[in-house]
Amino acid sequence: MWKIEIVQQVVKKQTMNVGTAHSEVNPNTRVMNSRGIWLSYILGIGLLHIILLSIPFFSVPVVWTLTNVIHNLGMYIFLHTVKGTPFETPDQGKARLLTHWEQMDYGVQFTASRKFLTITPIIFFADECPHPKAASTSWSQNLWHQQVLNATSRV
Amino acid sequence: MAAALRNGRAGWRERETGRPGPGLGAGAGPAERLHPAAPYKVKPTVEHHKKVFSETFEQPPIYVPVLTYMGYGIVTLFGYLRDFMRAWGLEKCHASQERKEQKDFVPLYQDFENFYKRNLYIRVRDNWNRPICSVPGPTFDLVERVSDDYNWTFRYTGRVIKDVINMGSYNYLGFAENKGESLNSVAEVTMMYGAGVCSTRQEMGNLDKHIQLESLVAQFLGVEAAMTFGMGFATNSMNIPALVGKGCLILSDELNHTSLILGARLSGATIRVFKHNNLQSLEKLLRDAVVNGQPRTHRPWKKILILVEGIYSMEGSMVRLPDIVDLKKKYKAYLYLDEAHSIGAVGPTGRGVVEYFSVDPRDIDVLMGTFTKSFGATGGYIAGKKELVDYLRAYSHSSVYAASMPPPIAEQIIRSLKCIMGLDGTTIGIERVRQLGVNARYFRQRLQELGFITYGNEDSPVVPLLLYMPGKVGAFARRMLKKNIGVVVVGFPATPIVESRARFCLSAAHTRQMLDTVLNVLDEMGDYLQFKYSRQSPGVRPEACDEPDFEIED
């Protein structure tokens, strides 16, 4: 019934200092949905990969393994270990014991960002598999690594 | 018309409606995004014959958010490094810490919660809370301060930076002044009544000044009655609980001010949030509320109150008032309009968004506003039907427990209201209102021509200029101060992570010369700091497009 076309990125307000305008209680919940963050994430992994590739004494499969390992460790620390918010929220600390993964989208499961962040490491892992040289040991290490991280982080 | 010419650019998202006057059907369809069907039929002012509601929220190219995240990422990593160094004694820790004997106690606060403050905010802290030593008019004097330890502590050099152009104060009509004949009455009132009242409205704090002020406010707004309160924030937070309670529903805009949110929470009503200025979202919530009733019992809601603001101060956007009034009538809800930033600042005679959109003030159930911004005073008012105001006089927390407005403040508001309404026999007031509109439109238009991304409605005196990257936010504010211009910048988490901005508040007291100075500096700085991200075509002047509209009008 409303013929008016509204084409506008929904601007979400977030607060740090008391007294500023907004009703978004915890800005952390929206960070992973912001414009360009998925692209930045992919570019970040790409950058890491290129830096590792430029170290002369690592062979390509080792570099792939290292990329995966460092990426997984980084994600584990920042998304699944660090708890709370780096700023004070007006909701009296409801999110103090929650990791960033748990805070995302206020705990709603299977949102687009969660699916994206779950699938990307799997794709990177699968990408790494085709390298045959020294593949068997590193492949199994990596697989074990992924399984452990997945199991501990999603609990 | 100007807006229509700016359409069709990549990366450009514009929201635009042309709406026929009240009483006609809304005829804007998808194609009308390019050609506004029939503009608002408002009273023609000197500048506009036709008014099109046009707000823009342009998106920058994709590399901008990517670099912004990179900036925050680097700052976070360095933050962790510095925290590590502070924890291991490699660097002196300036933040307050608990005493050694108390290390085994439960900590008073969580270290991580102050991570952002320690590692990002403190670095750029010199751009906020700058002490001033003159009245915050169109120019002011700042106390010069320097920091020897990277903003952990400041010391004053003893010098004063004079005549800094003030682009941050909410001084829309220029009433923040300390010279003027009409101020004599304020001085007399201070001598006669004293500085404060020390009592509540219901006990001994009801003075003739308050009654005079309230009748003047009611006359100004075109309503039956009004009540004033000593504090603008408290007007919202103390009166919404008096109006709604448990069993009622509050539909509040996403970007509502903290005072409205606090009032809504204190009332005990159910709060549902609709997307900013998005009428489909609001209608969906209204339908859902009317059809389904209260959550488990499905009983009908006792009251549905829609909370909106006139101008949203962080975005510069205006509420779509006629559409919301139509919705509210259709679904039989009540409307609470907070005109904190729009009263005195928009509308041909300064009566706010109600006048700007030519809506009948009797259609809005509760008109609220503050005197802090356009009137150079403090306090707030609630206006509407006499029944409503009488009820609030008896049941509002403010009237029972809070001290009433001090008489000098009441006199200041009376004098500025008389000035705006023309009751003092001069045309100063209406000139100021007109000048503010001219300044706002000129500034916005020039910023867009220069290639900056600004948000909000073209008529709003609040102009947010997007800076995006955290480094630029600090650099911008500091360099502007070096060029003698004082600006307000805001970053994450007060804004979304990508959209850090500088917010300019125009004033009727700004001369064209001051604005041109600011614009020239901005031009230079935009090239130096590289934040001219706009991809629309600049240089479209409205005078050039004031041709007859050949569209078939509804």
Side-chain angles (χ1 to χ4, degrees), chain A residues 2-4 6 8-10 12-16 20 22-23 34-35 40 78 83 85-88 96, chain B residues 15 17 28 59-60 65 69 80 112-113 116 254-256 258 261 283 314-315 492-496 499:
Chain A
W2 288 102
K3 307 261 184 80
I4 299 163
I6 296 173
Q8 171 212 350
Q9 187 216 17
V10 176
K12 296 174 178 73
K13 287 250 136 235
Q14 294 142 356
T15 53
M16 166 189 195
T20 49
H22 88 75
S23 59
S34 312
R35 182 167 177 251
S40 311
F78 287 109
K83 295 194 178 70
T85 53
F87 32 74
E88 288 178 13
R96 269 190 208 138
Chain B
R15 191 184 57 208
T17 66
Q59 299 298 307
Y69 296 126
Y80 278 116
F112 189 58
E113 264 184 356
Y116 186 86
E254 218 177 4
L255 305 185
N256 270 341
T258 314
I261 298 170
E283 181 164 18
M314 268 312 159
E315 306 294 304
F492 183 71
T495 59
E499 293 170 15

Side-chain angles (χ1 to χ4, degrees), chain B residues 451-469:
Chain B
F452 296 110
I453 296 184
T454 55
Y455 276 3
N457 194 300
E458 61 182 16
D459 283 319
S460 103
V462 178
V463 186
L465 192 160
L466 278 279
L467 295 169
Y468 298 102
M469 297 172 203

Side-chain angles (χ1 to χ4, degrees), chain B residues 286-352:
Chain B
L286 274 168
R287 288 182 89 93
D288 184 64
V290 169
V291 164
N292 290 323
Q294 298 190 28
R296 273 169 299 126
T297 56
H298 294 291
R299 290 198 195 136
W301 294 100
K302 289 195 202 147
K303 258 180 272 201
I304 300 181
L305 184 66
I306 304 174
L307 288 183
V308 286
E309 290 188 36
I311 290 185
Y312 293 89
S313 63
M314 268 312 159
E315 306 294 304
S317 54
M318 266 196 230
V319 67
R320 295 170 169 273
L321 197 59
D323 306 331
I324 291 194
V325 168
D326 289 342
L327 261 185
K328 132 190 136 92
K329 285 187 181 154
K330 178 173 169 191
Y331 292 96
K332 304 215 176 29
Y334 295 106
L335 182 58
Y336 184 110
L337 178 65
D338 176 349
E339 289 208 74
H341 285 269
S342 52
I343 190 72
V346 289
T349 61
R351 281 158 165 84

Side-chain angles (χ1 to χ4, degrees), chain A residues 24-116:
Chain A
E24 186 69 79
V25 178
N26 185 357
N28 259 350
T29 55
R30 298 282 167 230
V31 165
M32 287 296 168
N33 296 333
S34 312
R35 182 167 177 251
I37 193 137
W38 291 8
L39 177 64
S40 311
Y41 172 64
I42 305 275
L43 286 178
I45 298 178
L47 186 68
L48 170 68
H49 191 60
I50 290 181
I51 291 176
L52 287 174
L53 272 176
S54 25
I55 299 175
F57 37 81
F58 288 150
S59 68
V60 177
V62 172
V63 165
W64 272 104
T65 314
L66 265 182
T67 313
N68 262 316
V69 167
I70 294 176
H71 163 261
N72 292 344
L73 269 178
M75 285 286 121
Y76 185 69
I77 291 175
F78 287 109
L79 287 183
H80 301 286
T81 315
V82 171
K83 295 194 178 70
T85 53
F87 32 74
E88 288 178 13
T89 50
D91 63 351
Q92 297 175 341
K94 282 206 180 100
R96 269 190 208 138
L97 295 176
L98 299 178
T99 62
H100 193 267
W101 180 259
E102 288 157 6
Q103 285 173 37
M104 264 170 65
D105 295 316
Y106 290 107
V108 172
Q109 296 297 317
F110 307 118
T111 58
S113 307
R114 283 183 192 244
K115 285 190 258 192
F116 174 74

Side-chain angles (χ1 to χ4, degrees), chain B residues 77-93 97 119:
Chain B
L77 288 176
F78 271 94
Y80 278 116
L81 172 70
R82 299 291 286 272
D83 275 351
F84 173 77
M85 282 164 56
R86 277 189 274 259
W88 286 88
L90 296 167
E91 184 186 343
K92 176 153 179 264
C93 182
Q97 282 178 314
N119 297 308

Side-chain angles (χ1 to χ4, degrees), chain B residues 35-46:
Chain B
H35 312 284
Y40 284 111
K41 304 261 190 298
V42 290
K43 282 187 294 242
T45 61
V46 178

